[in-house]
Amino acid sequence: MQIRKLETKDAPLFEQLRLQALKQVPEAFAASYEEEVKETIDFFESKLSNGEAFYGLFKKEDQLVGIISLSRSKLLKMQHKAAIGSVFIAEEARGQGLGKKLFIYVMKEAQAQGIEQLQLVVAAQNKKAKQLYESLGFQVYGFEKRALKINEKYVDEEYMMKIL
């Protein structure tokens, strides 16, 4: 098991897992499978090199089973905080504590970068994810009704944060 920052060379594995995530849990992402499945590999390479850091959890060197992103603001007054997003663990790797390991790794990375506060957004009905985030010290600070609309159904979202 290895966790590391993804590089452009990882784009094919990243594309595969991201599309799987968008298809399996559309309520967990603002982006949609229908939009990203049409994109070329250049799109996924640019996501890995545009400033937002993606970290991957590898079962083997060529088997990416988890992803998470860390995005720090470029604005001076907001550089003390960062957003976590794009969290996904492949179905075959769930239930092994890997999501928690990935989160702990990224929280340490954030601290090493001088980040003092982390924020994330979670679908209000995603009880497993919320339990994980709360176990790591994240607290709800906001709620958005009807944040996403997927096939005529609305998804409410909770905003969570943690001071490092």
Side-chain angles (χ1 to χ4, degrees):
M1 205 61 60
Q2 179 195 23
I3 300 173
R4 64 173 173 79
K5 186 174 178 185
L6 296 177
E7 302 169 16
T8 54
K9 69 178 174 122
D10 299 309
L13 294 173
F14 174 67
E15 174 186 22
Q16 182 182 1
L17 190 60
R18 179 151 171 100
L19 290 175
Q20 180 183 336
L22 293 173
K23 195 170 198 175
Q24 286 181 0
V25 283
E27 67 280 359
F29 298 88
S32 72
Y33 174 82
E34 294 76 16
E35 291 168 314
E36 291 196 11
V37 73
K38 298 173 187 171
E39 296 291 348
T40 66
I41 196 68
D42 293 343
F43 171 82
F44 295 95
E45 287 174 353
S46 72
K47 284 188 84 61
L48 297 177
S49 62
N50 72 0
E52 182 177 12
F54 282 87
Y55 295 87
L57 175 69
F58 292 83
K59 204 167 191 175
K60 298 176 191 164
E61 182 56 37
D62 64 342
Q63 189 180 5
L64 181 64
V65 296
I67 52 174
I68 190 170
S69 70
L70 182 67
S71 180
R72 188 177 197 172
S73 177
K74 290 177 180 24
L75 299 173
L76 186 61
K77 295 177 189 176
M78 295 176 65
Q79 287 187 352
H80 67 289
K81 59 186 177 178
I84 287 181
S86 300
V87 181
F88 182 73
I89 301 293
E91 204 166 333
E92 69 272 12
R94 292 183 190 156
Q96 303 169 40
L98 300 179
K100 190 169 197 167
K101 285 181 183 175
L102 190 55
F103 247 88
I104 289 169
Y105 181 90
V106 168
M107 288 191 304
K108 287 179 183 174
E109 284 287 309
Q111 281 184 306
Q113 295 174 30
I115 294 168
E116 301 169 20
Q117 179 175 316
L118 293 174
Q119 297 172 314
L120 60 84
V121 180
V122 61
Q125 75 272 17
N126 191 340
K127 292 185 186 347
K128 281 192 175 191
K130 288 186 345 185
Q131 284 176 336
L132 170 62
Y133 305 155
E134 288 168 352
S135 78
L136 293 166
F138 283 83
Q139 298 175 323
V140 174
Y141 72 90
F143 181 86
E144 183 179 357
K145 195 149 186 62
R146 297 168 61 137
L148 302 175
K149 185 177 180 182
I150 306 166
N151 298 325
E152 303 306 313
K153 290 187 179 178
Y154 294 99
V155 177
D156 298 340
E157 291 182 333
E158 292 183 6
Y159 292 78
M160 300 181 83
M161 58 86 60
K162 174 185 174 73
I163 296 174
L164 298 175

